[in-house]
């Protein structure tokens, strides 16, 4: 099967996922028994506001047409109005998006910078002392609460040593780079054990391949062999691992934005939860899901275009 | 989506890579090691049993009440009376740590059961029957994995209201997908094995083949994965506690302990550090059990 039709099929697969995601987000509010308008408004409920919300969301109609109404609003980029600020939720989210994207990319870069050397160290001397040490990293790392690691780094490097600010987003490119280092590092520490594990496994399988044996027998020096032959073939799995774990990465940023008070959509989500601002929580949930779906799509495309052996039959 | 099982590796969301079973090679019967000869398993079991013991026997170990305040003795350092000192309300930290373990471990262990069962059942149906069952179940999986784990769990607990019941519902709704994918992938391989074909030819019912023949052969992967899943669930409970969405105060719980210590980070960093360390140690114990089980149940792979 050809490459183009793979892309087509992959895009086609997005349709049921997109429909499913909107259904989940739409039905979130209907999980609670009772009048959705009252549930949504909660402490903000007045007879007038209930009436307005019913009109705005079409809550008087049957469920299926409410869902249509919801989709129609989505198609126009309308995520509803914030109950606290009165501004459209979409506007709030767009304003808060840049810090979150920054944090995600920054954390991914740091995670790769930590994981690739460690995985290399482990894979070159399998079962040696260094390999054993690297393999112990996930045992400890996977059990660490992300926000707790954030507190520890914050206390040590922010409060005690004063190397980094204790919160905020910074200004300008280098300002962001500086202010977001600790949060990005925290997320990367959560992600690294996962990436190290998969990278080590894939490097080991590459090292056992015939073309490596051939290159060795030709006398290709160790370092060059590693960079030219092993690393290149291990990068693809690294991309896939990052793509698959984008949900994990995003989950980490939601938590860490709150620890370091970064004005991103993760902080917006938690603040809106405290203020019971339902439309914003709903909107952020949807935006996060869209991010995951897009990144997975991108990862699959990259994977397919980098590796000619990828099978398109599915 | 590219098949997550390509290359014999399954990468679960939340980040655990699991090697899938090769079809069992009957001619070379692997030497099955005794469980007590697996250092990782023994170490993990030791850690976990000690921690569970401390939590279960908390009332015998410590004389204090985990929620009784003593405003004359706030923020004390470690002493003979208070081994780890006291918190901002004068409560003994060692006591709260032990009682917190009762809550976090109990909820973590129970929370893993529901997704384990639901995912195993749906995964077996999808893998064994294929067709419409598989299509519907796997599209459901696609939808759930489109949401980041923490985002969906936090959103669901928010909608359902804080508390233990909401935690179970949220974790089940999100967590079953990993088991479903694992079990489906295993069954796809196993159902072509001769023993299954023989059972089918013998006219056994599908239910019996799945329950008595397939499941016992494919379940080990899920059990190994469940060990790291408990760690993930405890982390989720602790994180919800940090956001004030978990077990409501004043119940001692590690996440809310970290949260309450946050205010005193500059002067009393141990208030946040100690409960976090408890989570790390539990995670270490369970991960070691998972690794040990993996070595025990799938000899010859590392």
């Amino acid at each position: 099967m050809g490459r183009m039709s793979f892309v087509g099929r992959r895009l086609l697969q997005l349709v049921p996922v997109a429909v499913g995601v909107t259904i989940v987000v739409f039905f979130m509010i209907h999980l609670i028994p009772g009048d959705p308008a009252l549930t949504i408004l909660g402490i903000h409920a007045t007879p007038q506001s209930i009436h307005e919300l019913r009109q705005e969301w079409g809550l008087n109609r049957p469920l299926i047409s409410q869902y249509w109404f919801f989709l129609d609003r989505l198609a126009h980029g309308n995520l509803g109005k914030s109950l606290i600020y009165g501004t459209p939720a979409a506007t709030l989210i767009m304003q808060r998006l840049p810090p979150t994207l920054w944090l995600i990319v920054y954390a991914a870069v740091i995670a790769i910078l930590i994981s690739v050397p460690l995985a290399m160290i482990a894979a070159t001397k399998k079962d040696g002392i260094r390999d054993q040490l690297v393999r112990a990293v996930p045992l400890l790392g996977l059990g660490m609460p992300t926000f707790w690691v954030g507190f520890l780094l914050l206390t040590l490097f922010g409060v005690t040593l004063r190397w980094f600010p204790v919160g905020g987003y910074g200004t300008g490119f280098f300002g962001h780079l500086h202010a977001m280092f600790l949060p990005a590092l925290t997320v990367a520490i959560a992600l690294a054990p996962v990436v190290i594990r998969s990278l080590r496994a894939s490097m080991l399988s590459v090292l056992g391949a015939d073309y490596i044996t051939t290159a060795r027998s030709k006398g290709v020096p160790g370092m060059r062999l590693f960079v030219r032959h092993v690393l290149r073939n291990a990068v693809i799995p690294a991309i896939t691992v990052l793509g698959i774990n984008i949900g994990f990465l995003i989950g980490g940023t939601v938590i860490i934005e709150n620890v370091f008070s970064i004005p991103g959509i993760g902080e917006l989500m938690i603040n809106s939860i405290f203020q019971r601002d339902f439309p914003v929580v709903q909107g952020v949930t949807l935006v996060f899901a869209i991010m995951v779906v897009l990144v997975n799509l991108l990862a699959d495309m990259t994977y397919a275009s980098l590796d000619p052996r990828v099978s398109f039959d599915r | 989506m590219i098949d997550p099982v390509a290359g014999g590796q399954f990468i679960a969301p939340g980040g655990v890579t699991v090697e899938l079973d090769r079809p069992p090679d009957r001619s070379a019967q692997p030497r099955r090691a005794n469980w007590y000869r697996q250092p990782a398993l023994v170490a993990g079991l030791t850690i976990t049993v000690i921690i569970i013991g401390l939590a279960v026997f908390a009332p015998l170990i410590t004389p204090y009440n985990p929620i009784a305040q003593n405003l004359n003795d706030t923020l004390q350092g470690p002493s003979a009376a208070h081994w780890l000192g006291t918190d901002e309300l004068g409560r003994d930290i060692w006591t709260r740590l032990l009682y917190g373990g009762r809550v976090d471990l109990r909820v973590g262990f129970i929370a893993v059961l529901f997704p384990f069962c639901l995912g195993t059942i749906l995964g077996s149906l999808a893998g064994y029957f294929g067709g419409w069952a598989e299509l519907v179940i796997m599209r459901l999986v696609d939808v759930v994995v489109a949401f980041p784990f923490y985002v969906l769990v936090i959103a669901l607990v928010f909608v359902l209201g804080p508390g233990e019941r909401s935690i179970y519902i949220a974790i089940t709704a999100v967590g079953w997908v990993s088991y479903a994918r694992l079990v489906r992938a295993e069954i796809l391989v196993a159902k072509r094995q001769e023993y299954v074909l023989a059972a089918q030819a013998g006219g056994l019912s599908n239910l019996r083949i799945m329950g008595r023949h397939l499941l016992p052969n494919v379940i080990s992967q899920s059990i190994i994965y469940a060990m790291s899943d408990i760690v993930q669930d405890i982390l989720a409970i602790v994180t919800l506690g940090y956001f004030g969405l978990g077990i409501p105060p004043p119940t001692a719980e590690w996440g809310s302990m970290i949260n309450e210590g946050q205010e005193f980070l500059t002067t009393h960093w141990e208030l946040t550090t100690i409960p976090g360390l408890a989570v790390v140690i539990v995670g270490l114990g369970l991960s070691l059990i998972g690794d040990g089980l993996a070595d025990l149940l799938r000899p010859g792979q590392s």
Side-chain angles (χ1 to χ4, degrees), chain B residues 75-144:
Chain B
L75 295 171
Q76 301 281 309
S79 65
H82 301 288
W83 293 1
L84 295 174
T86 59
D87 69 2
E88 74 282 4
L89 295 172
R91 298 172 295 196
D92 183 57
I93 293 175
W94 172 240
T95 304
R96 282 182 70 72
L97 202 61
L98 295 184
Y99 280 88
R102 288 184 139 195
V103 175
D104 283 304
L105 292 175
R106 189 194 67 219
V107 180
F109 277 87
I110 296 177
V112 88
L113 288 177
F114 302 115
F116 181 94
C117 296
L118 184 66
T120 304
I121 293 169
L122 291 178
S124 333
L125 293 178
Y128 188 74
F129 290 112
W132 275 103
E134 183 177 33
L135 191 75
V136 171
I137 292 169
M138 295 325 281
R139 287 295 85 80
L140 267 178
V141 168
D142 287 347
V143 170
V144 175

Side-chain angles (χ1 to χ4, degrees), chain A residues 60-312:
Chain A
N60 294 325
R61 311 179 198 187
L63 214 53
I64 189 81
S65 86
Q66 279 184 44
Y67 175 64
W68 266 120
F69 197 61
F70 175 75
L71 282 187
D72 185 57
R73 287 193 306 141
L74 278 188
H76 294 91
N78 181 356
L79 295 173
K81 246 196 262 169
S82 159
L83 303 176
I84 305 293
Y85 306 104
T87 43
T91 318
L92 278 175
I93 292 171
M94 286 311 286
Q95 283 168 352
R96 302 284 207 111
L97 204 52
T100 303
L101 294 178
W102 244 95
L103 186 55
I104 291 174
V105 174
Y106 202 175
V109 170
I110 296 180
I112 294 265
L113 289 179
I114 297 175
S115 314
V116 171
L118 283 179
M120 270 170 69
I121 287 171
T124 42
K125 285 266 162 48
K126 184 172 184 289
D127 293 330
I129 288 289
R130 296 185 302 186
D131 187 27
Q132 301 283 359
L133 283 177
V134 171
R135 284 168 71 187
V137 170
L139 290 181
L140 284 171
L142 285 177
M144 294 195 294
T146 315
F147 66 98
W148 178 74
V149 176
F151 282 147
L152 295 189
L153 293 175
L154 186 78
T155 315
L156 182 60
F157 296 107
V159 179
T160 311
L161 295 172
R162 293 176 189 279
W163 288 358
F164 297 98
V166 293
Y169 176 42
T171 44
F173 182 80
F174 292 102
H176 297 331
L177 220 52
H178 183 224
M180 305 259 272
F181 179 74
L182 286 183
L185 179 66
T186 314
V187 178
I189 287 175
L191 192 63
V194 182
V195 184
I196 291 174
R197 254 190 193 179
S198 320
L199 264 184
R200 176 183 167 274
S202 66
M203 280 182 182
L204 280 178
S205 74
V206 170
L207 276 171
D210 286 343
Y211 62 86
I212 298 293
T213 318
T214 311
R216 278 222 173 101
S217 66
K218 285 195 320 191
V220 177
M223 198 54 215
R224 197 174 131 188
L225 176 90
F226 213 91
V227 173
R228 291 280 303 269
H229 296 263
V230 180
L231 202 54
R232 271 171 86 172
N233 283 297
V235 162
I236 296 172
I239 294 174
T240 326
V241 171
L242 269 182
I244 285 173
N245 285 291
I246 183 70
F248 197 66
L249 182 58
I250 290 178
T253 63
V254 171
I255 297 162
I256 282 313
E257 280 179 12
N258 285 280
V259 173
F260 287 90
S261 9
I262 294 165
I265 52 177
E267 202 210 20
L268 180 67
M269 181 181 184
I270 300 296
N271 280 341
S272 307
I273 281 179
F274 287 139
Q275 296 170 318
R276 300 205 60 85
D277 195 345
F278 185 79
V280 180
V281 178
Q282 198 183 32
V284 174
T285 310
L286 183 69
V287 168
F288 276 131
I290 292 172
M291 274 158 89
V292 172
V293 170
L294 287 182
V295 171
N296 275 328
L297 179 71
L298 214 67
D300 277 4
M301 298 290 179
T302 322
Y303 192 66
S305 63
L306 282 183
D307 192 338
R309 291 165 306 178
V310 170
S311 135
F312 300 110

Side-chain angles (χ1 to χ4, degrees), chain B residues 215-229:
Chain B
L215 269 187
N217 279 295
V218 301
I219 203 73
S220 60
Q221 287 300 326
S222 300
I223 294 174
I224 295 167
Y225 177 72
M227 291 302 133
S228 51
D229 202 28

Side-chain angles (χ1 to χ4, degrees), chain B residues 105 110 145 172 242 255 272 301:
Chain B
L105 292 175
I110 296 177
V145 294
T172 307
Y242 161 66
T272 44
Q301 294 175 18

Side-chain angles (χ1 to χ4, degrees), chain B residues 51-69:
Chain B
I51 290 175
I52 293 177
L54 284 173
V56 169
F57 296 111
L60 303 176
I61 297 169
T62 157
Y64 299 102
N65 180 325
I67 55 173
Q69 304 181 5

Side-chain angles (χ1 to χ4, degrees), chain A residues 13 28 148 194 198 274 303 314, chain B residues 1-2 15 17 146 159 243 272:
Chain A
Q13 280 180 354
M28 260 168 56
W148 178 74
V194 182
S198 320
F274 287 139
Y303 192 66
R314 217 183 140 248
Chain B
M1 185 182 280
I2 287 172
T17 312
V159 176
F243 286 129
T272 44

